[in-house]
Amino acid sequence: MTNVFNSMPNTSRIGIPLAQVSESFLKASEGWWRKRKDGKLSKASMILRAIAMNQGIKTDEIRNLADACSNPAHSIRDINKKLMNKGLLIVRMDPVGVAPNECCHHWFLVEAPIETVKVQMSSNDPLY
């Protein structure tokens, strides 16, 4: 008999409802960031899609789904600036019963009050 330990936190600890976004919203959000040189989606849009489609995804899994993104946590901070204007937010939950480790955090897309957040855009960001 194997002992399988689930470190997934209970989503009721978040305190606000999880967001369910449509495929059309994810398609529209791809335009928020410029595509990469080879025509692939930006890593930010791949991170957003990974979290929206897999609530509770771990940081390491995000790296794999977002084309080896080196620092998903930093990208998520920038993604949240654009999401807050839409009434959404990505939150991080610590795993349950394991030592703190950046690789094991769980990420959730949640509904949040709409906030107007000034996004300091770089010169190569499209204006949407």
Side-chain angles (χ1 to χ4, degrees), residues 4-82:
V4 178
F5 178 73
N6 185 6
S7 65
M8 174 77 88
N10 188 337
T11 56
S12 65
R13 285 181 40 210
I14 297 172
I16 48 181
L18 296 180
Q20 301 297 321
V21 295
S22 65
E23 183 65 30
S24 61
F25 175 84
L26 292 173
K27 278 284 192 200
S29 68
E30 292 172 2
W32 296 349
W33 300 278
R34 191 175 301 275
K35 290 189 177 190
R36 292 185 281 168
K37 194 182 302 184
D38 52 2
K40 291 182 182 176
L41 291 177
S42 68
K43 290 186 180 185
S45 62
M46 293 195 314
I47 289 171
L48 176 58
R49 178 174 288 277
I51 294 170
M53 302 303 282
N54 306 292
Q55 293 279 15
I57 189 169
K58 289 184 181 178
T59 306
D60 280 347
E61 295 166 346
I62 292 173
R63 282 190 184 102
N64 293 334
L65 293 174
D67 200 17
C69 180
S70 61
N71 191 352
H74 180 72
S75 295
I76 289 169
R77 280 193 219 69
D78 294 333
I79 293 167
N80 273 337
K81 290 177 186 175
K82 294 192 178 190

Side-chain angles (χ1 to χ4, degrees), residues 32-33 74 77-82 85 116-127:
W32 296 349
W33 300 278
H74 180 72
R77 280 193 219 69
D78 294 333
I79 293 167
N80 273 337
K81 290 177 186 175
K82 294 192 178 190
N85 294 324
T116 304
V117 179
K118 183 178 179 190
V119 179
Q120 296 177 340
M121 314 239 329
S122 65
S123 60
N124 61 352
D125 275 347
L127 299 174

